[in-house]
Each structure stands twice: as C-alpha cells, then as structure tokens.
Amino acid sequence: MEQLPLSLINTIPPLYGQDGKGSNALAFVKLFTPDSNWTWYITELDPEEGLCFGLICGFEKELGYFSLNEIEQIKGPMGLKVERDISFRPTKLKDLGFDYGN
C-alpha cells in the first residue's frame, strides 16, 4: 500500500509476531474510510504478500486477516478511498475498546 512508508512497515511485527498477547497486542497502523464507519488496525504484517492481521471495526469489532491490496480498492459511499491516520501511534487493542479477557 502506497500509504505505508518503508520506515513504518519495518516497525510492524511479522505475522504471528504478537501471538499470545491478546488484547495487549499493539496496533501500529490505523486505516479508515473517511466517508463510512470502517477502520482497520494493523498489528502484524507480511509485507511481501501484503497480508495483515489486526482489529477490524465495521459491523462488529473482530480480529482477522485482511489484504492491503484489497483495501486499496475500497471506496466508501462518497467515492473516497481508505486513508491512513498519520497521527496514530502504537496503541494496545484493549485501549481501542477491544478486550477479550487478556
């Protein structure tokens, strides 16, 4: 994804790099649709495949995998593309309102 500079990509752990941390895992990147209510928080990344794991906030809050290539294709109801929140700093998932007992 062109919105993720190499300096930022290098700070994100690889897939399974935060396995077992639960709600204490850190989200490193926040992506969002400015004209709808979808948000993706990246906790782990395979930069070669563009595959991420993290918190997805849409109809529900859930952990899962998502593709940066697919997110680049998304447009909201007003035609706006997904953006990166450039002011976002690494934050624990539980501090983002996602706590499942850890």
Side-chain angles (χ1 to χ4, degrees), residues 17-86:
Q18 296 196 73
D19 198 27
K21 290 187 177 182
S23 299
N24 287 313
L26 287 175
F28 290 87
V29 176
K30 176 184 177 183
L31 303 172
F32 66 98
T33 50
D35 56 349
S36 77
N37 64 341
W38 284 83
T39 305
W40 299 263
Y41 294 95
I42 301 174
T43 61
E44 301 168 357
L45 171 67
D46 178 342
E48 290 182 21
E49 297 292 324
L51 185 63
C52 302
F53 183 81
L55 180 61
I56 305 163
C57 303
F59 298 119
E60 298 179 12
K61 287 185 179 180
E62 60 185 344
L63 294 176
Y65 292 92
F66 50 95
S67 164
L68 289 177
N69 293 331
E70 290 178 9
I71 286 180
E72 284 183 330
Q73 305 306 314
I74 294 173
K75 290 185 181 177
M78 295 174 50
L80 299 176
K81 291 186 171 192
V82 173
E83 297 182 16
R84 177 173 62 93
D85 181 346
I86 60 172

